[in-house]
């Protein structure tokens, strides 16, 4: 398969505008995932087609919603349980205005993201080894991709969120039971359906923020 052509077709289908340098970095990142994926147990998917759709395009689907949410303003984003850097590395490549910290409790995964940041020359990307419960930096956006239940995600990362910050939780089908289990202190202000090119599965973003105090 022609990865460059397939990736560009997927980017176009998502309505994204990326320059050649960004497309090149995405392909470089995919190559790094393939090279080190088995060695460091970064991903269970190692086939090119699967990695393109399930990793790159799946992560790319959040880029335009994030751009809209941030309106192009400089922001700090914490990607919780980032693993090999999904979606954090993809966001860093596509959104230079976003400073991305990819957090993982497994040291070798955080080290892989650090290496990717150096290899891809991404000054806005950092791999961080640690647990989210100990992060208190005040991020504008705290994201996760199939990391935990919504209630556990917001409870564990509340202290890492800036006062006016938002949570971006990537999910499969709309998680109605998880939404119902959220405490009153959390406001869900949008559940955004996503269509991932080449992926026959439901995807959505659950956007949340601390509820206004009454």
């Amino acid at each position: 398969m022609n990865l460059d052509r397939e990736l560009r077709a997927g980017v176009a289908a998502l309505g994204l505008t990326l320059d050649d340098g960004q497309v090149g970095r995405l392909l470089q990142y995919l190559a790094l995932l393939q090279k080190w994926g088995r060695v460091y147990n970064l991903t269970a998917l190692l086939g090119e087609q699967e990695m393109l759709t399930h990793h790159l395009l799946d992560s790319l689907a959040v880029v335009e919603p994030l751009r809209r949410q941030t309106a192009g303003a400089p922001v700090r984003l914490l990607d919780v349980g980032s693993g090999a850097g999904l979606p954090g590395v993809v966001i860093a490549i596509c959104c230079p205005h976003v400073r991305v910290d990819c957090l993982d409790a497994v040291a070798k995964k955080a080290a892989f993201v650090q290496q990717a940041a150096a290899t891809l020359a991404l000054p806005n990307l950092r791999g961080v080894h640690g647990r989210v419960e100990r992060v208190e930096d005040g991020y504008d956006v705290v994201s996760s991709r199939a990391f935990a239940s919504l209630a556990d995600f917001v409870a564990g990362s509340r202290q890492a969120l800036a006062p006016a910050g938002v949570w971006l939780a990537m999910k499969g089908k709309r998680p109605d039971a998880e939404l119902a289990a959220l405490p009153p202190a959390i406001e869900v202000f949008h559940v955004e359906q996503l269509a991932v090119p080449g992926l026959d599965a439901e995807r959505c973003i659950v956007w949340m923020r601390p509820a206004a105090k009454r």
Side-chain angles (χ1 to χ4, degrees), residues 10 18 32 51 55-56 62-64 66 75 103 106 113 125 129 132 148 153 161 164 178 181 183 190 198:
L18 300 179
L32 288 173
M51 291 178 76
H55 288 336
L56 277 195
V62 307
V63 170
E64 193 57 37
L66 180 64
V75 295
L103 179 74
V106 179
V113 173
L125 174 65
H129 174 224
V132 67
F153 171 46
L161 192 73
E178 291 184 30
H190 190 25

Side-chain angles (χ1 to χ4, degrees), residues 8-80:
R8 289 178 187 274
V11 166
L14 288 167
L16 283 174
T17 302
L18 300 179
D19 61 33
D20 288 344
Q22 289 169 318
V23 171
R25 281 190 175 98
L26 287 169
L27 292 172
Q28 277 185 278
Y29 173 55
L30 195 64
L32 288 173
L33 272 178
Q34 284 186 295
K35 180 178 180 180
W36 298 108
R38 186 174 281 114
V39 177
Y40 289 125
N41 193 27
L42 298 172
T43 170
L45 303 175
L46 294 170
E48 283 188 344
Q49 184 65 57
E50 277 188 316
M51 291 178 76
L52 179 67
T53 54
H54 289 68
H55 288 336
L56 277 195
L57 293 177
D58 192 48
S59 294
L60 281 166
V62 307
V63 170
E64 193 57 37
L66 180 64
R67 285 175 174 175
R68 285 197 304 271
Q69 178 64 34
T70 59
V75 295
R76 297 181 68 217
L77 180 144
L78 180 69
D79 190 28
V80 179

Side-chain angles (χ1 to χ4, degrees), residues 161-182:
L161 192 73
V166 298
W167 285 284
L168 183 172
M170 295 178 67
K171 291 287 183 177
K173 65 182 294 186
R174 181 186 171 97
D176 288 320
E178 291 184 30
L179 290 165
L182 283 168

Side-chain angles (χ1 to χ4, degrees), residues 54 58 61-62 144-150 168-176 178-179 191-196 199-206:
H54 289 68
D58 192 48
V62 307
S144 71
R145 178 178 182 253
F147 169 68
S149 71
L150 293 176
L168 183 172
M170 295 178 67
K171 291 287 183 177
K173 65 182 294 186
R174 181 186 171 97
D176 288 320
E178 291 184 30
L179 290 165
V191 178
E192 187 166 359
Q193 298 299 320
L194 303 174
V196 180
L199 190 61
D200 186 22
E202 292 183 65
R203 290 288 189 270
C204 70
I205 297 172
V206 180

